[in-house]
Amino acid sequence: MAAVWCQWCHVMEGTTYRDPAIQAAILDRFIPVRVDQDADLELSYRYEDWGWPATIMLDKDGNEIFKRRDYIPPELFAKLLVAVIDDPSALPS
């Protein structure tokens, strides 16, 4: 989740999500959804104490398996994607 007024959301969009390796990994194994928190009040209220940007990964049933607040640099994001693929139950919630 992101917000148009959030500086770190723009930084993550411009670095992490534009990284070709990150894009390939996401498109290979995940269904990416970017949500503008201002456009969806229900989600905004659900995660309002969480902060932006918020990276939330859900399993096939819609259960949260991972969430992290703030900017995630590409190198760390790549490791998180591998960890989710390898064993999502081992990730901290």
Side-chain angles (χ1 to χ4, degrees):
M1 292 188 50
V4 296
W5 44 262
C6 169
Q7 185 239 345
W8 284 108
C9 297
H10 292 286
V11 172
M12 192 156 170
E13 184 71 34
T15 58
T16 304
Y17 293 128
R18 289 195 194 262
D19 183 286
I22 298 297
Q23 290 178 356
I26 289 173
L27 293 175
D28 184 49
R29 300 294 297 263
F30 299 91
I31 300 171
V33 177
R34 184 180 188 279
V35 178
D36 176 358
Q37 70 91 27
D38 291 319
D40 191 320
L41 291 180
E42 183 178 331
L43 284 174
S44 182
Y45 292 138
R46 180 175 179 180
Y47 294 104
E48 68 185 339
D49 293 332
W50 189 246
W52 315 118
T55 300
I56 303 158
M57 296 185 186
L58 309 171
D59 66 14
K60 63 183 172 101
D61 298 317
N63 300 307
E64 290 179 10
I65 56 173
F66 173 81
K67 66 181 176 182
R68 180 169 172 160
R69 72 179 92 209
D70 298 325
Y71 170 74
I72 305 171
E75 302 79 23
L76 178 55
F77 200 85
K79 291 176 184 177
L80 292 171
L81 292 175
V82 170
V84 168
I85 293 166
D86 289 348
D87 185 7
S89 67
L91 294 170
S93 55

